[in-house]
Amino acid sequence: MRANHPLLGLVLGASAILLFGASLPMTRLAVASLDPWFVTAARGALAGLVAVFVLVLLKRRIPWSDLPRLALISACLVIGFPGLMALAMRSVPSAHGGVILGLLPIVTAIAAVFVAGERPSLFFWAMSLLGAGFVVAFSMRDGAMLPVAGDILLFVSVAI
């Protein structure tokens, strides 16, 4: 049985937050001079190499029976989300994109209801919808009645 390492969990969690927070600004920098789909492919390839390294290092077998599900997950999280995000970063500032990505928690909660059968409280949904409303209102900046193309790409990436 493994010992509990709360400090390691905090360090890994903080690292993940830092890396995710930097993904929009770094993507915006990258797509200023590189094709968004190249950036997306490079991210996926690097992540795949790290995954293979970890599997080899930990002497794990390739999970062949899980490959169909992993293919669907990869299509969404390795191609769909970062690809659309990279396209969006060509037309909207990264700080603006960060606000739109603020919809990720409510989308995750909706998935938890349908996939895991969780039932958050009415207060949770009320506050989540209020926050989501602010995000959508923010996307309609400069008096526009509809979000700009970059916003729509980000909304779709969140949905994916």
Side-chain angles (χ1 to χ4, degrees), residues 32-122:
S33 58
L34 298 170
D35 180 72
W37 292 112
F38 173 79
V39 173
T40 301
R43 290 172 75 156
L46 287 173
L49 288 174
V50 169
V52 167
F53 177 75
V54 169
L55 285 174
V56 169
L57 183 71
L58 297 178
K59 298 179 179 148
R60 300 287 199 257
R61 294 183 318 120
I62 294 175
W64 295 110
S65 63
D66 292 326
L67 285 185
R69 281 185 287 171
L70 290 173
L72 175 62
I73 292 166
S74 295
C76 294
L77 297 178
V78 178
I79 300 167
F81 177 79
L84 294 175
M85 183 181 68
L87 287 172
M89 287 298 96
R90 295 179 97 181
S91 62
V92 297
S94 59
H96 178 85
V99 173
I100 304 298
L101 292 186
L103 291 172
L104 282 170
I106 192 171
V107 172
T108 303
I110 291 168
V113 167
F114 288 106
V115 174
E118 295 184 15
R119 298 288 179 247
S121 69
L122 185 60

Side-chain angles (χ1 to χ4, degrees), residues 135-156:
V135 169
V136 171
F138 174 80
S139 73
M140 294 186 234
R141 64 193 184 284
D142 300 329
M145 294 308 294
L146 295 173
V148 297
D151 292 335
I152 293 168
L153 288 168
L154 286 168
F155 286 136
V156 175

